[in-house]
């Protein structure tokens, strides 16, 4: 009994620790602007002024949200297209140095993003890509692909090769067997990879800040960092907290709706 109580208490402590920042963000979002430095756990007077200020004309937050959707959506689609094909080849084909290639893919994800910004900025400046979507999508793709290839390679290795052999005996080519048999069976892993990629790209800040200097092209995370107060010099904590809620709630909703698929993708192959 004591062990069970300690286990429940430990889980409750971890959950409270993880949710405390989000709770404080929500509470701060619903404070009045003049109460933004209040440290009470509940607003003395609830207000939606901060939420209204988020979408005021001067902030351009609506366009920033659209830009985030475009960048995250394109990055996720390209990651799945390239990552699925690459992972399938690494899982199914036999060639020399296959493990070394997979190791290089994983090693590519270990380079700090800040070390790549200067050469990327120089390259995109020469190409005339500054203030374009591709200047944000391609670097994000470079960081998302290693993780997706690693996850999907492990997932494809769990699928029996006999399924493809049976499909090819029935007249399918290797490509048709991949599209009609393997991809549907790999849906949990692909879906999990898509969710993780979308969330990582949605929250990305450094690349979007470095590659874009036009207000109409900035993403939501960059727009939040550039909010100004009434005088232009004070820090609008309440508005930034409200914008953080607006940006975070859709991600929470997606995870809650598709949590079964995400868990299935992460645990696939863990039990024989």
């Amino acid at each position: 009994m004591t062990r069970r109580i300690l286990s429940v208490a430990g889980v409750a402590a971890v959950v409270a620790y993880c949710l405390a920042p989000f709770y404080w963000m929500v509470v701060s979002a619903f404070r009045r602007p003049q109460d933004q430095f209040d440290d009470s756990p509940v607003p003395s007077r609830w207000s939606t002024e901060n939420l209204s200020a988020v979408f005021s004309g001067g902030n351009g937050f609506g366009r920033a949200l659209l830009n985030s959707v475009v960048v995250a959506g394109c990055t996720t689609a390209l990651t799945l297209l390239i990552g699925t094909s690459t992972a399938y080849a690494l899982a199914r084909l036999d060639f020399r140095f296959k493990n070394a290639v997979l190791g290089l893919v994983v090693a590519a994800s270990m380079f700090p993003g800040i070390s790549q910004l200067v050469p990327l900025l120089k390259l995109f400046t020469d190409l005339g890509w500054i203030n374009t979507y591709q200047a944000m999508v391609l670097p994000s793709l470079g960081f998302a692909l290693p993780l997706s290839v690693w996850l999907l390679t492990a997932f494809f290795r769990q699928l029996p090769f006999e399924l493809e052999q049976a499909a090819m005996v029935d007249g399918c080519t290797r490509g048709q067997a991949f599209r009609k048999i393997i991809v549907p069976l790999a849906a949990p892993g692909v879906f999990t990879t898509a969710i993780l990629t979308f969330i990582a790209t949605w929250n990305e800040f450094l690349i979007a800040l470095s590659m874009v200097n036009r207000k109409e092209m900035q993403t939501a995370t960059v727009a939040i960092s550039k909010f100004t107060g009434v005088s232009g010099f004070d820090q609008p904590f309440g508005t930034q907290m409200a914008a953080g809620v607006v940006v975070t709630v859709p991600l929470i909703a997606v995870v809650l709706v598709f949590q079964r698929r995400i868990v299935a993708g992460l645990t696939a192959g863990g039990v024989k």
Side-chain angles (χ1 to χ4, degrees):
M1 185 64 180
T2 303
R3 180 178 297 179
R4 181 177 179 83
I5 293 175
L6 290 176
S7 299
V8 173
V11 171
V14 171
V15 171
Y17 177 80
C18 294
L19 292 181
F22 183 72
Y23 170 78
W24 193 254
M25 181 171 64
V26 173
V27 169
S28 299
F30 285 98
R31 298 186 195 277
R32 296 179 301 174
Q34 57 268 35
D35 298 332
Q36 65 177 353
F37 295 107
D38 187 8
D39 58 357
S40 60
V42 178
S44 58
R45 184 173 179 180
W46 293 80
S47 171
T48 59
E49 292 182 50
N50 290 322
L51 290 172
S52 300
V54 169
F55 293 97
S56 64
N59 290 329
F61 192 67
R63 175 59 188 266
L65 282 176
L66 177 61
N67 292 335
S68 290
V69 171
V70 171
V71 172
C74 291
T75 302
T76 302
L78 290 173
T79 297
L80 292 182
L81 180 63
I82 301 173
T84 301
S85 303
T86 304
Y88 179 76
L90 290 172
R92 285 291 192 257
L93 302 181
D94 291 324
F95 54 90
R96 295 181 64 185
F97 308 115
K98 183 171 71 171
N99 291 332
V101 171
L102 187 58
L104 287 175
V105 170
V106 176
S109 64
M110 299 180 183
F111 288 97
I114 189 67
S115 66
Q116 304 178 40
L117 280 180
V118 174
L120 285 175
L121 186 61
K122 177 66 168 62
L123 174 63
F124 292 159
T125 300
D126 294 340
L127 293 175
W129 281 8
I130 300 300
N131 293 314
T132 61
Y133 287 126
Q134 60 264 32
M136 294 181 282
V137 170
L138 291 181
S140 298
L141 183 66
F143 295 123
L145 269 176
L147 175 62
S148 67
V149 170
W150 177 263
L151 289 176
L152 291 174
T153 299
F155 191 87
F156 283 136
R157 283 176 175 173
Q158 303 298 324
L159 300 179
F161 186 63
E162 289 76 11
L163 294 173
E164 294 157 270
Q165 291 177 328
M168 287 186 284
V169 168
D170 289 338
C172 290
T173 63
R174 180 179 288 273
Q176 290 173 330
F178 172 68
R179 295 194 308 270
K180 297 180 179 181
I181 304 299
I182 300 302
V183 171
L185 291 176
V190 173
F191 192 87
T192 302
T193 303
I195 290 294
L196 295 177
T197 301
F198 187 88
I199 291 176
T201 310
W202 180 270
N203 293 329
E204 199 283 321
F205 175 76
L206 196 58
I207 295 172
L209 178 66
S210 303
M211 302 301 171
V212 170
N213 51 43
R214 287 169 51 190
K215 188 173 185 178
E216 60 270 20
M217 290 299 298
Q218 64 189 10
T219 59
T221 52
V222 177
I224 293 173
S225 70
K226 295 185 177 181
F227 281 175
T228 58
V230 177
S231 66
F233 298 97
D234 53 330
Q235 188 69 27
F237 290 112
T239 308
Q240 290 177 328
M241 292 292 188
V245 172
V246 173
V247 170
T248 306
V249 166
L251 299 181
I252 295 176
V254 169
V255 172
L256 290 178
V257 171
F258 298 107
Q259 59 180 327
R260 290 187 178 181
R261 288 182 176 269
I262 296 173
V263 173
L266 292 174
T267 58
V271 179
K272 293 288 186 182

